[in-house]
Structure formats: C-alpha cells, structure tokens
Amino acid sequence: MRPKARDAEFEDFVRRRRSHLLGTAVVLTAGDHHLAEDLVQGVLVRLYLAWGRATRRGGIDAYARRALVNAFIDHRRRPSVARETVTADLPDRPARLTTAAFAEEAVDAELLGALRALPERMRAAVVLRHVTDLSVEDVADALGCSPGTVKSQTARGLAKLRELLPQAAPIPAAPYEGDQS
C-alpha cells in the first residue's frame, strides 16, 4: 500500500473511531480522563505502526480494542505507576474532558468509583461486555482469554458491583444465563 493511501485510511479510522476508543478508555480507567487520553494515544501509535497487518487481517477495530485493553492492563505494571501515591485531595481539579461518546451521557461518579474497586481484567471484561456491548467472543478476543473466562469474570464483577452499589438501580443478572453466546 502506498504511504499516502495508508495515511489517508489511518486518518479516516482515527476520525471515525477515536471518540469511541476514548469513551471506552475513560470507563476502563474508571473516569481517569488523562490516563484514558494517554492510553488511546499509545494505541493509535501502535495501530499506525501495525496498520498493514491489521488491515490484512480485516480486524482493525478488534486490533485497536485489544491494544487498548492490553495498554490498560499493562499500565499498572509500569514502575512509575507503582511509585505514585494517591491522595484524597488534589491541589486543583482539571476541567472534565468530554468526548462525543460521553458528552451526551454522563457516567455516574459512584459507578466509576465502584469500577475502580475491580481488578483490571475483571473491570475490562465488565466494561467491554456491558458498556461497549460486545459479545462474549469479542471480549474474549480483546482480553486474550476463553469465553468461559469472560463469563466468570463478568459474573464476579457484576456481583462485586452489586455489593458496592446496593442502593443504586439494580444491575441486571448476567445476560448469558441460559444464553450460549
């Protein structure tokens, strides 16, 4: 593929899908907009470098989604993250970033707090399955695990969210009970 054609295809993809990736990253990071921006930027760089492979396989969205989940999970493994300390009060508050995916629909701060309590892979399974509405198979592909693992991680994650958010609107029972997907 010619470099100009490749660049045009990549630019078109970024224009169409960046806000969706950013919205997913915001929920994956439990509302950390700055980290979400960083993760999406890194994913777009990786995607650009692997554009030929991703387009040959025909799964650009799947590649980007998997790269985003991997970047999110790997973020905690970075030594710089382990040295950071969390404080209750910040010296100043940054302006809330809005994206096309989340501009019209605010994500509940209480829910984001409860999502923070879940381990990263469990949170990723719940978010990809119930926020981005992916099938069990697509989530399994994004996480690099079996569909059974997705189902168990999602069920455990929803159970933990029910414990943490008892007064909130009921979280539906796992949608795959009796469902083969």
Side-chain angles (χ1 to χ4, degrees):
M1 177 180 297
R2 295 187 338 242
K4 286 188 179 190
R6 171 187 170 166
D7 289 352
E9 282 184 15
F10 179 74
E11 184 177 336
D12 179 58
F13 174 82
V14 171
R15 288 184 195 279
R16 286 183 299 104
R17 301 299 289 165
R18 184 183 180 283
S19 64
H20 177 74
L21 287 170
L22 185 57
T24 301
V26 167
V27 180
L28 278 174
T29 61
D32 187 338
H33 294 274
H34 297 291
L35 176 57
E37 285 276 355
D38 289 346
L39 293 176
V40 169
Q41 275 306 115
V43 165
L44 292 176
V45 168
R46 282 188 217 103
L47 181 60
Y48 181 79
L49 295 173
W51 190 255
R53 286 190 314 270
T55 56
R56 276 194 299 276
R57 292 181 185 160
I60 298 168
D61 283 330
Y63 182 94
R65 190 171 38 247
R66 185 165 191 165
L68 179 61
V69 170
N70 288 341
F72 164 68
I73 292 169
D74 290 344
H75 171 73
R76 289 313 228 172
R77 296 179 185 155
R78 292 186 197 150
S80 62
V81 173
R83 289 190 299 267
E84 291 177 1
T85 56
V86 178
T87 61
D89 298 312
L90 298 176
D92 59 352
R93 303 252 181 221
R96 181 181 168 108
L97 298 175
T98 58
T99 65
F102 287 92
E104 296 154 11
E105 181 181 333
V107 178
D108 183 68
E110 203 172 359
L111 175 61
L112 292 176
L115 283 169
R116 275 187 210 99
L118 299 179
E120 284 83 8
R121 288 184 65 80
M122 186 180 290
R123 185 187 321 164
V126 169
V127 167
L128 292 175
R129 184 75 177 106
H130 295 286
V131 175
T132 63
D133 202 29
L134 294 177
S135 69
V136 171
E137 291 76 19
D138 287 343
V139 175
D141 181 54
L143 293 175
C145 63
S146 72
T149 300
V150 170
K151 290 177 182 182
S152 66
Q153 289 291 302
T154 303
R156 288 182 189 132
L158 291 176
K160 181 70 173 176
L161 289 175
R162 282 187 204 97
E163 287 174 21
L164 295 171
L165 301 167
Q167 74 284 3
I171 298 170
Y176 42 80
E177 290 177 7
D179 182 10
Q180 300 301 316
S181 60

